[in-house]
């Protein structure tokens, strides 16, 4: 069983070095090819992954479940409403107990503090499947998708983020500082990224991480344009107000005119057509959102292999040259 005194948690992008990020992505690309070849690869036989979700999810939940099942492991979904957590059992006790049953835990919740506390008391890997502050697995599959669609190296690209300075934006900011690509964020006043996350990334990064309120400026000459919903989970009551404030931040053909002619468009999904992205862009030739969604499954496999140290659990899956 994988009960390590030093479990490999993945809580924010900053938990990984640039080398680790690139290794995980290149591993995910190999795992994708191997999966398409139809050959089985089951290094997680006998392992159990728990998914503790306090918010809805289509992609993260199902991609992690499919990834673990394809790796030969088992999954158990833990709806927070069914756990004693809801009746006040401390996170610390929950973490200690789940560590006795499971080999890995993916959590989606509200505050990053909850994930940090669970990880602190778990001796199995804890993986952040989204908090209000971060969405670290998402960004790895996003960058994997960029690398699949672009010949250039990541560090030679300009990425634009247009919209809310939210959890996904924060993870992009940390990824930019780790990998050293240029990132330009256009967010309205009052909806800008966390100042601390931004300034520490800017201080560490070798490339510019720029914040503006002007979407045209951010998108100018970019290789990748990225957006997300205007009202994240937990902000539903502000949706109408946000629709007004964010109206100039829609990714549409006119805005794409400022980007490079071969620029691609990302969206982590779910998308609101006609709000943060127009229907024609989402379904158009520059959009790579469906590949991006698929890649979550291949990337989650690489994260699970790494987190559960599956290379140590079987003789040498890496020697399989997949
Ligand atoms: N992109 C993403 O995390 O989607 P879900 O909310 O469906 O998991
Ligand atoms: N920012 C969005 C991402 C959904 C995958 C949210 O937190 O709801």
């Amino acid at each position: 069983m994988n009960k390590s005194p030093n479990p490999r948690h993945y809580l924010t992008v900053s938990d990984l070095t640039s080398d680790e990020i690139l290794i995980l992505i290149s591993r995910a690309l190999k795992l994708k090819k191997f999966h398409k070849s139809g050959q089985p690869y089951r290094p997680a036989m006998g392992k159990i992954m728990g998914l503790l979700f306090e918010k809805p999810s289509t992609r993260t939940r199902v991609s992690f479940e499919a990834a673990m099942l394809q790796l030969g492991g088992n999954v158990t979904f833990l709806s927070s409403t069914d756990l004693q957590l809801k009746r006040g059992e401390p996170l610390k006790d929950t973490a200690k107990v789940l560590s006795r049953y499971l080999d890995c835990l993916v959590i989606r919740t509200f505050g990053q503090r909850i994930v940090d506390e669970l990880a602190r008391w778990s001796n199995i890997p804890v993986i952040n499947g989204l908090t209000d502050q971060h969405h670290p697995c998402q960004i790895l599959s996003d960058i994997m998708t960029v690398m699949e669609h672009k010949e250039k190296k990541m560090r030679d690209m300009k990425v634009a983020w247009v919209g809310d300075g939210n959890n996904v934006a924060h993870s992009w900011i940390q990824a930019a500082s780790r990998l050293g690509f240029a990132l330009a964020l256009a967010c309205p006043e009052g909806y800008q990224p966390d100042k601390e996350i931004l300034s520490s990334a800017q201080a560490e990064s070798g490339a510019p991480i720029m914040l503006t309120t002007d979407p045209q400026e951010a998108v100018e000459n970019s290789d990748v344009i990225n957006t997300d919903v205007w009202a994240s989970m937990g902000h539903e009551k502000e949706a109408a107000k946000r629709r007004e404030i964010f109206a100039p931040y829609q990714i549409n053909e006119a805005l794409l005119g400022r980007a490079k002619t071969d620029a691609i468009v990302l969206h982590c999904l779910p998308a609101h057509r006609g709000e943060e992205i127009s229907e024609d862009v989402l379904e158009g030739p520059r959009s790579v959102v469906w590949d991006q969604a698929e890649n979550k499954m291949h990337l989650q496999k690489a994260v699970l292999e790494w987190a559960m140290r599956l290379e140590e659990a079987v003789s040498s899956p890496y020697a399989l040259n997949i």
Side-chain angles (χ1 to χ4, degrees):
M1 298 289 277
N2 177 52
K3 304 293 149 106
S4 163
N6 292 308
R8 283 180 177 165
H9 302 307
Y10 183 41
L11 311 183
T12 75
V13 173
S14 297
D15 291 344
L16 300 176
T17 63
S18 57
D19 281 352
E20 283 172 326
I21 292 174
L22 294 173
I23 288 168
L24 281 174
I25 292 172
S26 105
R27 184 69 186 158
L29 288 163
K30 282 188 184 161
L31 287 163
K32 180 173 182 176
K33 265 198 195 142
F34 200 73
H35 177 68
K36 305 261 179 208
S37 77
Q39 296 174 72
Y41 172 57
R42 305 208 168 99
M45 271 170 82
K47 305 268 181 204
I48 305 174
M49 173 188 72
L51 289 148
L52 201 175
F53 275 40
E54 297 201 86
K55 290 177 176 175
S57 171
T58 298
R59 281 145 289 268
T60 305
R61 173 182 174 174
V62 181
S63 63
F64 262 113
E65 288 183 343
M68 187 62 174
L69 293 170
Q70 287 174 17
L71 290 173
N74 293 289
V75 304
T76 180
F77 185 76
L78 309 164
S79 163
S80 61
T81 48
D82 299 335
L83 295 183
Q84 296 287 6
L85 261 178
K86 266 286 164 268
R87 297 178 57 247
E89 185 169 19
L91 281 165
K92 174 176 169 175
D93 297 6
T94 306
K96 286 183 178 184
V97 171
L98 292 181
S99 294
R100 301 282 178 122
Y101 304 142
L102 304 174
D103 297 282
C104 173
L105 182 65
V106 182
I107 173 166
R108 169 168 286 199
T109 188
F110 294 89
Q112 186 72 16
R113 184 198 60 77
I114 297 171
V115 172
D116 292 343
E117 177 76 357
L118 259 186
R120 180 171 172 217
W121 297 106
S122 292
N123 61 1
I124 54 169
V126 171
I127 298 168
N128 180 355
L130 180 146
T131 60
D132 291 344
Q133 288 79 27
H134 296 277
H135 198 2
C137 295
Q138 180 68 48
I139 266 48
L140 299 187
S141 45
D142 293 355
I143 293 173
M144 170 184 175
T145 310
V146 174
M147 286 164 73
E148 267 184 336
H149 284 268
K150 292 273 173 198
E151 303 273 304
K152 278 201 286 188
K153 292 213 176 304
M154 204 61 215
R155 64 170 177 270
D156 296 329
M157 272 189 265
K158 178 185 174 187
V159 176
W161 175 272
V162 180
D164 192 17
N166 62 15
N167 43 9
V168 181
H170 290 155
S171 291
W172 268 102
I173 290 168
Q174 293 192 334
S177 108
R178 278 288 184 271
L179 297 182
F181 56 85
L183 177 65
L185 303 116
C187 313
E189 294 285 359
Y191 299 89
Q192 300 195 327
D194 180 86
K195 282 195 172 67
E196 223 175 282
I197 292 175
L198 183 64
S199 59
S200 76
Q202 283 169 329
E204 283 171 29
S205 181
I209 301 176
M210 181 270 263
L211 176 63
T212 173
T213 52
D214 179 359
Q216 320 262 344
E217 186 187 357
V219 168
E220 189 70 42
N221 209 29
S222 57
D223 301 278
V224 178
I225 299 113
N226 215 327
T227 190
D228 185 14
V229 290
W230 289 338
S232 285
M233 291 180 275
H235 294 291
E236 288 81 0
K237 284 191 183 138
E238 300 170 25
K241 180 179 164 208
R242 283 171 177 254
R243 269 196 292 276
E244 274 179 37
I245 293 169
F246 283 87
Y249 292 79
Q250 184 187 75
I251 306 287
N252 51 35
E253 284 297 345
L255 188 59
L256 284 190
R258 306 295 287 253
K260 293 210 174 103
T261 49
D262 62 351
I264 56 171
V265 174
L266 299 182
H267 190 314
C268 66
L269 304 177
H272 292 97
R273 291 167 166 83
E275 292 187 20
E276 75 275 3
I277 190 162
S278 64
E279 166 87 25
D280 53 348
V281 169
L282 187 75
E283 298 289 3
R286 291 168 184 247
S287 165
V288 295
V289 302
W290 313 116
D291 288 346
Q292 186 186 356
E294 175 187 335
N295 284 342
K296 284 174 74 81
M297 180 178 79
H298 307 296
L299 190 283
Q300 320 296 29
K301 272 190 199 169
V303 169
L304 289 170
E305 269 191 339
W306 168 81
M308 291 190 285
R309 300 173 202 263
L310 295 183
E311 72 276 20
E312 294 164 16
V314 291
S315 54
S316 182
Y318 289 85
L320 290 174
N321 197 25
I322 67 167

